[in-house]
Amino acid sequence: MAKTVKSKKIVSAVEAMYGENVFSLKVMKECLSKKAYESLSKTMNEGGVIDPAIAGEVAASMRDWAVSKGATHFCHWFQPLTGSTAEKHDSFIAPDGQGGVAMEFSAKELIQGEPDASSFPSGGLRATFEARGYTAWDPTSPAFIKEGEDGTTLCIPTIFCGYHGEALDKKTPLLRSSAALSKQMDRAGKLFNVKPVTKAYATLGPEQEYFLIDKGYYEQRLDLIQTGRTLFGRKPARHQQMEDHYFGAIRPRILAFMEDLDQALWKLAMPSKTRHNEVSPAQFEIAPIYERLNVAVDHNLICMEMMRQIADKHGLVCLLHEKPFAGVNGSGKHNNWSLVGTDGKNWLHPGANPHENAKFLFTLCAVIKAVDVHADLLRAAVASPGNDHRLGANEAPPAIISIFLGDQLTDIVEQLEKGEPKSAKSGGTITLGVDVIPTLPRDATDRNRTSPFAFTGNKFEFRAVGSNMSPAAANVVLNTIVAEAIDEMCTQLEADLKAKKDFNKSLQAILQAIIKKHKRVIFNGDNYTEEWHQEAERRALPNKKTTPEALKAYESEKALALFEKYAVLSRKELLSRYEIYMHNYKSVLSYEAECAMTIAATQILPAGLEYQANLASTINSVEAAGGKSKTAKDSLIKVSALIEELSLGIASLESAIEAHNTDKMKAAMLEVRKPADELEGLIPADLWPLPTYAEMLFLY
Ligand code: ADP
Ligand code: MG
């Protein structure tokens, strides 16, 4: 007995189920002919479209695999500009004419779909007579199975575009920007004389924050149901000031949710790794192991969907809004991004030898240049009404985009700028191509939590992304701006090499010039302070506080030319996005304003009036009975004044809505909220119509 146990490899339940719902390379190797497998795995690694000659075989084996897993339907799974994902299901059935059916799935059905695009936003790109949209398989992201209650669906990740190939989704520009970046990294690889083993690609590990609250409370809050955030609510006496929730023991009910979530994600080969409590009560985080950018984005979207579904099974609701509760921390998504070169190595990993150092400093300077030149685009990419509540609220990074490098790396960069050979701080010298940069200890790089764009050891972490957003837009911008920087640096290096200049000298001169010009974007201090805001103004760094201001960057000639040059988005495509995002901003503010008005008028005001009437009759009866009514009278005066204030607020809100004026709506919503939240502190708990912050944040 003992012998068999010893010699038998123990396969854990996780290993057995990991990726079981994915049509992965492993599954393909088993199901496909050698020729089809090799062709498809090449496409998966390098991008592009599937070879039509093998599409029939791939479709047939995908169908067999899916049907064996209980699939009755397939769908093209895509990412329209609405912000969520979309899918249209078709069953596999094909009647055989004799009362039975066969399960069919053709190459064409795998490769291309034609959902009616007229109900998806196109920002004027698609006239109604061309309402047709096309979805096309993105083979770099594997097909997967979604489990339902009574059956499963084969999901095929696709791009979504219009009749003339105009991008109508978030995946298309992501793939195009990845290709642009890869192309420039390829040039860099050649210049640095590395042995190519792969196409260059970006990696992403998005950390996702979220709230969980009890479904019973959620259902009693029209604001949460309709807008995803609380439009009213008094801060409870205790919230996050004890700082005892962060990394605290996870409550059993939440842990059960997290366990379920991990299992569901692992089945889909989404490498969920870390789970913990976050800063605010009822706030949590999930983080995966990083993957290729495109797949990581798809996995993040799947993760968000699973979080909502699995929470529901546990009687919970997952709130992904950037700021569901005023007065406590909001939720973000930390976009950990790095670059793998053609040598298969991370080029943002500081040096083990002089050659690696040169690659590292080259890439680092490319990012510094890119972020400084296009800080406005990074800001635009994270602009949303939800994120407006978060950015700059002293818990999330400010709207000013700056880079944190840490003291040690800043010291190295400064020496590089001066061209001085010796450094006291790092102990080494930094003439390129000669010496080694010390490996940067994590502690030296990662302790500033206030920076929007921080170097964290071997990657950059863009922290301004909102929790509810697809990470796509931020990475489209990152890929494209870094591609441009690398392009310009390579062009200079290639010219210098042609002129027979020394490579290291030329590189050093280029990096020096970049640091001189762009070091204003580096800031290692506390991003929350007033001094930084003033300093940033002196440095002329943009500070766009609201979505409409931030989105303007997409309309600029600089942006239009950039995205056009790298074939990421045509002018028309970019302008259409600007329009959609502006429209979205206005829609969100309008429905928030209307919802606030409804709650104020139909729930809060009546509660106030009822309490007012109770007080009045108390006063009358107490006085008739010869008692003292001073306390009740004082309360009545206070409550009556707040009711008046509330009524005025409701009137302002009404006129702002009628005037379609978003700025006025924002102001009027605050005007209504102030007396409403004060009333919550006066009105007896059994009369108050809404679950309180204390209940929602602490009782789950
Ligand atoms: P911390 O929690 O201190 O921010 P971690 O190293 O645990 O740092 O990473 C956080 C996230 O960054 C994880 O999702 C991780 O997978 C991701 N990450 C780590 N290395 C890379 C990389 N080279 N490229 C992209 N993401 C990365
Ligand atoms: Mg982090």
Side-chain angles (χ1 to χ4, degrees):
M1 274 298 274
K3 204 169 171 230
T4 42
V5 171
K6 233 186 193 169
S7 59
K8 202 171 144 197
K9 181 180 182 307
I10 295 170
V11 177
S12 70
V14 177
E15 287 167 280
M17 56 99 106
Y18 193 86
E20 72 175 28
N21 283 346
V22 180
F23 194 70
S24 59
L25 281 172
K26 207 159 115 193
V27 176
M28 288 181 210
K29 200 164 191 174
E30 278 167 27
C31 310
L32 295 175
S33 67
K34 194 159 177 266
K35 175 179 160 244
Y37 171 75
E38 276 168 8
S39 162
L40 190 56
S41 60
K42 186 166 180 282
T43 311
M44 286 182 81
N45 282 325
E46 298 183 0
V49 290
I50 176 179
D51 174 5
I54 63 159
E57 185 189 334
V58 174
S61 63
M62 207 185 266
R63 174 206 57 203
D64 289 347
W65 171 79
V67 167
S68 79
K69 301 211 159 268
T72 52
H73 289 71
F74 70 92
C75 78
H76 279 196
W77 182 77
F78 58 103
Q79 300 160 25
L81 294 165
T82 50
S84 44
T85 55
E87 47 194 66
K88 175 181 159 225
H89 295 205
D90 276 295
S91 75
F92 290 118
I93 64 161
D96 62 7
Q98 300 178 30
V101 291
M103 299 296 258
E104 281 183 5
F105 183 50
S106 67
K108 185 174 176 296
E109 286 172 312
L110 164 66
I111 294 174
Q112 198 180 72
E114 288 182 24
D116 182 354
S118 58
S119 307
F120 292 106
S122 81
L125 270 185
R126 187 213 55 237
T128 36
F129 63 89
E130 285 174 357
R132 230 173 239 193
Y134 291 90
T135 51
W137 185 29
D138 161 23
T140 61
S141 184
F144 60 94
I145 284 199
K146 233 195 238 183
E147 293 181 351
E149 290 285 317
D150 285 306
T152 69
T153 304
L154 171 67
C155 298
I156 298 153
T158 58
I159 58 156
F160 178 47
C161 57
Y163 185 72
H164 302 291
E166 324 80 281
L168 297 176
D169 69 343
K170 301 197 171 169
K171 192 190 249 290
T172 303
L174 187 70
L175 294 177
R176 293 177 183 163
S177 70
S178 298
L181 182 59
S182 184
K183 189 171 156 195
Q184 299 307 328
M185 279 296 283
D186 205 48
R187 281 171 77 193
K190 288 195 184 110
L191 282 165
F192 282 88
N193 229 339
V194 304
K195 189 168 161 258
V197 296
T198 176
K199 271 192 95 164
Y201 58 90
T203 51
L204 172 71
E207 300 164 70
Q208 174 77 49
E209 294 176 333
Y210 61 99
F211 279 84
L212 287 173
I213 65 166
D214 190 275
K215 197 157 119 190
Y217 294 133
Y218 174 85
E219 285 171 348
Q220 294 172 57
R221 299 257 347 187
L222 189 65
D223 48 5
L224 284 179
I225 294 172
Q226 292 250 292
T227 73
R229 73 179 181 105
T230 54
L231 302 174
F232 298 97
R234 227 176 129 76
K235 196 148 114 179
R238 178 174 158 199
H239 43 98
Q240 63 186 43
Q241 65 274 69
M242 305 297 288
E243 297 181 341
D244 53 354
H245 192 254
Y246 190 57
F247 279 13
I250 301 169
R251 290 191 198 180
R253 185 180 185 193
I254 300 302
L255 192 57
F257 158 85
M258 290 175 167
E259 283 161 351
D260 243 8
L261 178 62
D262 279 340
Q263 306 264 334
L265 293 174
W266 290 338
K267 277 190 194 174
L268 293 170
M270 189 289 204
S272 165
K273 170 86 171 159
T274 310
R275 57 193 190 197
H276 63 81
N277 285 0
E278 258 301 328
V279 173
S280 165
Q283 193 187 28
F284 311 93
E285 182 182 292
I286 178 170
I289 295 169
Y290 67 92
E291 300 177 275
R292 276 178 192 248
L293 176 58
N294 176 33
V295 174
V297 170
D298 284 357
H299 278 165
N300 180 250
L301 296 173
I302 292 172
C303 178
M304 293 201 283
E305 186 180 323
M306 289 291 159
M307 287 161 81
R308 289 199 191 91
Q309 278 177 20
I310 291 170
D312 187 62
K313 272 198 217 156
H314 289 258
L316 296 162
V317 174
C318 177
L319 303 176
L320 286 166
H321 194 282
E322 283 79 13
K323 192 77 180 177
F325 302 99
V328 298
N329 272 22
S331 300
K333 180 139 45 195
H334 291 179
N335 194 88
N336 295 276
W337 178 96
S338 195
L339 262 180
V340 173
T342 48
D343 51 0
K345 291 186 184 162
N346 178 357
W347 280 36
L348 282 172
H349 193 43
N353 58 53
H355 184 246
E356 301 287 301
N357 281 342
K359 280 163 42 190
F360 168 68
L361 289 173
F362 171 86
T363 316
L364 182 80
C365 288
V367 176
I368 292 171
K369 173 174 154 77
V371 172
D372 185 40
V373 173
H374 297 295
D376 59 337
L377 290 178
L378 283 169
R379 174 66 186 92
V382 298
S384 80
N387 222 13
D388 278 0
H389 295 287
R390 191 180 151 253
L391 297 182
N394 277 12
E395 36 118 331
I400 308 162
I401 306 285
S402 66
I403 299 180
F404 172 86
L405 289 184
D407 290 341
Q408 221 179 345
L409 192 52
T410 304
D411 181 44
I412 290 168
V413 162
E414 277 169 0
Q415 288 179 64
L416 193 57
E417 183 195 357
K418 290 189 205 117
E420 280 172 8
K422 284 274 181 211
S423 155
K425 227 177 207 167
S426 61
T429 57
I430 49 142
T431 312
L432 274 177
V434 182
D435 298 295
V436 179
I437 290 175
T439 304
L440 301 167
R442 273 276 289 266
D443 275 359
T445 63
D446 197 22
R447 292 304 147 224
N448 186 326
R449 289 291 172 189
T450 67
S451 174
F453 202 95
F455 181 74
T456 50
N458 62 350
K459 61 186 187 287
F460 275 101
E461 181 168 342
F462 184 28
R463 300 192 178 118
V465 183
S467 52
N468 207 12
M469 295 175 174
S470 160
N475 291 292
V476 167
V477 169
L478 255 173
N479 287 348
T480 312
I481 66 180
V482 174
E484 181 194 53
I486 294 178
D487 179 6
E488 291 174 10
M489 292 161 79
C490 286
T491 302
Q492 182 66 51
L493 278 167
E494 284 161 1
D496 287 353
L497 279 184
K498 222 173 164 189
K500 305 269 184 270
K501 285 193 189 155
D502 175 71
F503 178 77
N504 284 325
K505 277 195 185 135
S506 157
L507 179 61
Q508 180 132 4
I510 290 170
L511 301 190
Q512 252 169 8
I514 287 177
I515 294 164
K516 267 205 179 79
K517 189 157 175 205
H518 301 292
K519 68 178 175 194
R520 63 169 189 163
V521 78
I522 299 169
F523 178 63
N524 293 325
D526 183 348
N527 282 252
Y528 293 168
T529 60
E530 185 47 40
E531 291 83 68
W532 168 235
H533 284 247
Q534 288 166 8
E535 171 64 21
E537 209 176 306
R538 268 194 297 279
R539 296 191 194 179
L541 299 178
N543 181 8
K544 305 288 180 217
K545 295 209 168 84
T546 66
T547 294
E549 291 171 83
L551 284 176
K552 280 213 168 7
Y554 279 155
E555 269 193 319
S556 67
E557 179 51 34
K558 175 170 81 84
L560 292 165
L562 171 79
F563 287 111
E564 185 179 47
K565 177 166 183 200
Y566 292 94
V568 173
L569 288 166
S570 69
R571 283 168 184 259
K572 254 172 133 179
E573 285 171 331
L574 184 59
L575 287 173
S576 77
R577 262 153 228 257
Y578 171 75
E579 246 172 64
I580 291 167
Y581 298 147
M582 276 307 289
H583 176 78
N584 177 58
Y585 174 80
K586 287 180 193 151
S587 308
V588 171
L589 275 170
S590 302
Y591 70 61
E592 281 190 348
E594 284 190 37
C595 184
M597 194 171 78
T598 305
I599 293 175
T602 67
Q603 293 189 285
I604 297 176
L605 186 62
L609 292 174
E610 187 175 345
Y611 183 44
Q612 192 182 33
N614 291 354
L615 285 170
S617 61
T618 303
I619 293 163
N620 285 340
S621 48
V622 168
E623 284 188 354
K628 284 192 177 151
S629 62
K630 180 171 181 310
T631 307
K633 270 188 179 149
D634 288 347
S635 295
L636 181 66
I637 290 166
K638 270 196 222 160
V639 168
S640 301
L642 288 171
I643 288 175
E644 287 313 301
E645 228 185 281
L646 184 67
S647 298
L648 289 175
I650 293 172
S652 316
L653 202 47
E654 204 169 1
S655 67
I657 292 168
E658 268 170 24
H660 302 287
N661 184 325
T662 47
D663 287 340
K664 285 197 174 140
M665 286 180 211
K666 267 205 273 191
M669 278 164 74
L670 293 176
E671 212 184 301
V672 172
R673 181 167 188 156
K674 193 178 152 281
D677 288 358
E678 281 181 48
L679 280 170
E680 188 188 333
L682 294 175
I683 291 179
D686 62 342
L687 282 187
W688 190 250
L690 303 168
T692 64
Y693 271 30
E695 287 167 320
M696 290 185 285
L697 292 172
F698 287 92
L699 300 182
Y700 57 83

